[in-house]
């Protein structure tokens, strides 16, 4: 370092007189069962974060040291708390297994830190209406009836019915409310796949949305008030399993509630991608990959893959239904967050920061040469749509289900029904 640079550099000053030795104990008490006392201050968390050097106030090591040192005021006012996408990429690298995403979520929800954007508004509406998109019950049923009519014509089966509120089905299928409000054509594709697989499923009648923005705000009372009624619907309908739609946020919300807060009957919680993977492997669904010949890659949503361990179902399905699958690197547990995690999409003023973070993902995709990007998460899909426009890439962004539906070889029994 030159003498000139050294003389002009201003070191960060830590005022020891402002440190509160009780703050560390308070954090430990409020973040119950989260052990962060083993931190070695080694900096591997910061090295593992893809965005620690992209913009300011995004260094996990610095934030954790503020907790350890009792820097109450500095910690509670640190922009890091909301800049962090809670993706847990730092946790993968931590030699002591300190889960930074869980710590950040807990700090958000347990210390009265103001929630930015419209997150609280959506949470309150969800509690009131029963779904994130504030869809009235009659509109929900009208949408289902419309999909039913469309599929009767498309499948050539005038007797086709969408199962809603069916008692005793093998599984209840949990939705993302956008699949009713905005993307009903995608729900139609999902139900078409279920038809060809002869799936024994039901949609919820009273509660059907598995998403939960309180996953990001960290307010556990709100989180449970939103998530519990869906589980109660599953119990009421007597299903054996809960299968969650193609959405990392919805899957993580369901798993977190089940593991930490649910005290009722036990259910396997399964991603629909795992179901697709099994159906393809056991021959329930026959597929023709030549129907998706374009270069394709797949994104690993943090909530689905790193946090919940669904490491291979998305890529197994993609490999089965496409002829030119190209892997992004790094992937699986080491994937990069798309930049919209942790509730950033609910904070409109964060878009410039989201687009800065998006560059890493853009570079990953460009390196594959893929023209189609499969994105098994609604939150991530919104981010990819924005980055596609921002960086003028021209990718085809899609969930996996439409590609699967396109690749399905119609079974003989369905062909006969069509001919009749």
């Amino acid at each position: 370092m030159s003498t000139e640079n050294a003389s002009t550099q201003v070191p960060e000053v830590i005022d020891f007189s402002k440190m509160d030795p009780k703050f560390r104990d308070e954090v430990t008490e409020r973040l119950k069962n989260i052990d962060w006392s083993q931190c070695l201050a080694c900096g591997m968390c910061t090295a593992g974060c893809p965005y620690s050097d992209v913009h300011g106030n995004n260094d996990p090591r610095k934030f954790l040291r503020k907790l350890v040192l009792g820097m109450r005021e500095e910690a509670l006012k640190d922009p890091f708390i909301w800049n962090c996408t809670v993706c847990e990429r730092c946790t993968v690298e931590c030699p002591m297994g300190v889960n930074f995403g869980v710590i950040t979520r807990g700090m958000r929800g347990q210390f009265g830190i103001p929630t930015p954007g419209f997150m609280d508004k959506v949470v309150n509406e969800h509690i009131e209406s029963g779904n994130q998109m504030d869809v009235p019950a009659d509109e929900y049923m009208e949408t289902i009836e419309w999909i039913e009519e469309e599929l009767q014509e498309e499948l050539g089966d005038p007797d086709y019915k969408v199962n809603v509120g069916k008692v005793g089905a093998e599984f209840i299928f949990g939705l993302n409310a956008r699949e009713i409000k905005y993307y009903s054509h995608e729900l139609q594709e999902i139900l078409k796949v279920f038809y060809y697989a002869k799936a024994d499923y039901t949609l919820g009648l009273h509660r059907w949305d598995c998403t939960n923005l309180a996953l990001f705000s960290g307010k556990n009372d709100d989180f449970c008030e939103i998530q519990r009624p869906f589980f109660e619907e599953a119990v009421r309908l007597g299903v054996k399993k809960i299968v969650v739609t193609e959405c990392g946020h919805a899957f993580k919300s369901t798993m977190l509630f089940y593991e930490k807060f649910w005290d009722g009957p036990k259910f396997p919680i399964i991603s629909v991608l795992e179901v697709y993977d099994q159906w393809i492997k056991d021959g329930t669904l026959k597929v023709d990959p030549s129907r998706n010949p374009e270069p394709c890659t797949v994104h690993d949503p943090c909530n689905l893959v790193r946090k919940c361990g669904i490491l291979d179902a998305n890529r197994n399905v993609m490999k089965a239904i496409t002829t030119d699958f190209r892997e992004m690197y790094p992937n699986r547990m080491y994937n990069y967050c798309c930049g919209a995690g942790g509730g950033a999409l609910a904070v409109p003023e964060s878009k410039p920061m989201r687009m800065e973070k998006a560059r890493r993902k853009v570079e990953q995709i460009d390196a594959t040469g893929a023209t189609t990007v499969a994105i098994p998460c609604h939150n991530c899909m919104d981010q990819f749509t924005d980055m596609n426009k921002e960086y003028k890439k021209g990718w085809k962004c899609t969930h996996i289900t439409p590609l699967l539906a396109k690749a399905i070889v119609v079974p003989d029994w369905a062909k006969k029904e069509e001919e009749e």
Side-chain angles (χ1 to χ4, degrees), residues 328-343:
M328 272 190 254
Y329 294 96
N331 55 57
R332 296 176 172 85
M333 290 292 288
Y334 296 94
N335 72 303
Y336 293 156
C337 173
C338 66

Side-chain angles (χ1 to χ4, degrees), residues 198-211:
K198 293 187 175 182
D200 182 15
Y201 76 94
T202 184
L203 304 183
L205 177 60
H206 302 294
R207 289 298 177 104
W208 41 268
D209 183 8
C210 280
T211 64

Side-chain angles (χ1 to χ4, degrees), residues 247-265:
C247 179
H249 158 210
F251 189 77
K252 175 60 179 177
S253 296
T254 307
M255 284 295 297
L256 178 63
F257 179 79
Y258 181 72
E259 292 173 349
K260 300 295 184 182
F261 304 106
W262 177 243
D263 54 3

